[in-house]
Amino acid sequence: MTVQPDTTGADRALKARHRAMWALGDYPSVATEVIPQLGATLVAACRTGPGQRVLDVAAGTGNAAIPAALTGAEVVACDLTPPLLEAGRALAARRGAVVDWREGDAEALPFPDGSFDVVLSCVGVMFAPHHRAAADELVRVCRPGGTIGMINWTPQGFIGQLFGLMKAYTPPPPPGMQPPPLWGSAAHVRELFGDRVAEVTATVDAAVIDRFADGAQFRDFFKTHYGPTVAAYRHLAAEPGRVAALDRDLAGLAHRHDRGNGVMRWDYLLWTGRRTG
């Protein structure tokens, strides 16, 4: 059975805002220049390979889908934002990866029950607003005995702190929307999946980021390339004092995480499990 999306006006409006936010800036550059290694790390952890049918949920430009396809797996990449899918198609073509790109909501995936051997999400499904609904869908489309694997930014790590910082500069989220970095807590993920998933591994590791010379360069890149940050600055467009404050805060955050020569470590949770039933 394929679950139909919530058709309430409030939900449609929320998803439209999410779609528009991730189309802002240049997320393909973030994926390819800042965190290119994350997708391959997840694919390896899930032991993806030939003969498997794989779904990358909230795939963006295919950070996990493309390396999964290059292992010989049959891969579908699903995302809410059409411009990211178009960028992913072009990137996959350049890398010689065969991927089936589909528009779809992580909270109402357009696939039948048990369709995939492996269901992946690399810093993607964590941004779906309703965590329980997204978790339910990851389980539903995975076959019994299949693998679910995710990389999610942790609440305590750099990206978790980035979202905590931006919270002071953006409108409050709609009722019922949960913070994305909660997905980086193993306890939260365990609560979402319960006994529907077994043989769980949950490891905190870090992406080594050496793209930025200093905090100011990080700030300037993210304020023009990363959708949530671009949206925060647009919200403040008529308030130059708060724009200046956000400028200082973003550069300061990156400076505090600089381990020398512009190198940062961004903590993430690498989580895998096997669907029961």
Side-chain angles (χ1 to χ4, degrees), residues 65-96:
I66 292 172
L70 292 174
T71 71
E74 179 185 348
V75 180
V76 178
C78 183
D79 197 272
L80 188 66
T81 304
L84 298 186
L85 296 173
E86 288 301 316
R89 285 190 184 96
L91 181 58
R94 290 197 298 272
R95 295 188 61 185

Side-chain angles (χ1 to χ4, degrees), residues 25-45:
D26 183 8
Y27 186 76
S29 293
V30 177
T32 58
E33 297 179 25
V34 183
I35 54 170
Q37 72 275 34
L38 285 190
T41 297
L42 178 59
V43 167

Side-chain angles (χ1 to χ4, degrees), residues 4-271:
Q4 296 303 312
D6 182 348
T7 56
T8 65
D11 188 74
R12 289 197 301 273
L14 175 60
K15 298 301 171 62
R17 289 198 296 274
H18 273 235
R19 186 180 293 109
M21 179 183 71
W22 288 107
L24 294 172
D26 183 8
Y27 186 76
S29 293
V30 177
T32 58
E33 297 179 25
V34 183
I35 54 170
Q37 72 275 34
L38 285 190
T41 297
L42 178 59
V43 167
C46 293
R47 300 179 181 178
T48 304
Q52 293 180 323
R53 183 162 165 78
V54 177
L55 175 64
D56 184 7
V57 182
T61 56
N63 208 357
I66 292 172
L70 292 174
T71 71
E74 179 185 348
V75 180
V76 178
C78 183
D79 197 272
L80 188 66
T81 304
L84 298 186
L85 296 173
E86 288 301 316
R89 285 190 184 96
L91 181 58
R94 290 197 298 272
R95 295 188 61 185
V98 177
V99 178
D100 181 3
W101 301 88
R102 307 272 192 95
E103 183 177 349
D105 183 349
E107 297 178 4
L109 293 168
F111 308 106
D113 297 359
S115 298
F116 298 95
D117 302 300
V118 182
V119 178
L120 305 173
S121 185
C122 183
V123 296
V125 79
M126 64 180 290
F127 293 102
H130 307 110
H131 295 188
R132 175 75 65 187
D136 289 350
E137 284 294 273
L138 296 180
V139 172
R140 183 184 66 78
V141 299
C142 185
R143 67 165 176 81
T147 298
I148 300 172
M150 293 180 291
I151 284 180
N152 300 318
W153 301 119
T154 67
Q156 302 83 10
F158 180 84
I159 296 296
Q161 292 182 38
L162 172 67
F163 276 89
L165 183 161
M166 291 197 299
K167 186 176 179 180
Y169 295 96
T170 55
M177 181 174 171
Q178 295 174 281
L182 275 178
W183 275 100
S185 162
H188 182 67
V189 179
R190 167 53 66 189
E191 192 276 330
L192 290 173
F193 287 119
D195 61 6
R196 297 179 296 175
V197 177
E199 300 178 36
V200 168
T201 66
T203 305
V204 174
D205 205 336
V208 177
I209 308 298
D210 58 3
R211 168 65 173 74
F212 309 108
D214 54 28
Q217 190 178 89
F218 161 80
R219 175 202 62 213
D220 293 345
F221 185 90
F222 260 54
K223 73 187 288 186
T224 56
H225 289 73
Y226 189 56
T229 313
V230 176
Y233 275 97
R234 289 193 176 189
H235 175 68
L236 301 175
E239 303 178 76
R242 296 187 73 203
V243 169
L246 181 54
D247 276 345
R248 290 192 299 270
D249 285 350
L250 288 177
L253 176 68
H255 177 73
R256 291 192 298 275
H257 282 260
D258 190 337
R259 292 171 172 249
N261 298 317
V263 176
M264 293 185 281
R265 290 176 60 85
W266 295 2
D267 288 352
Y268 62 80
L269 176 70
L270 172 59
W271 187 99

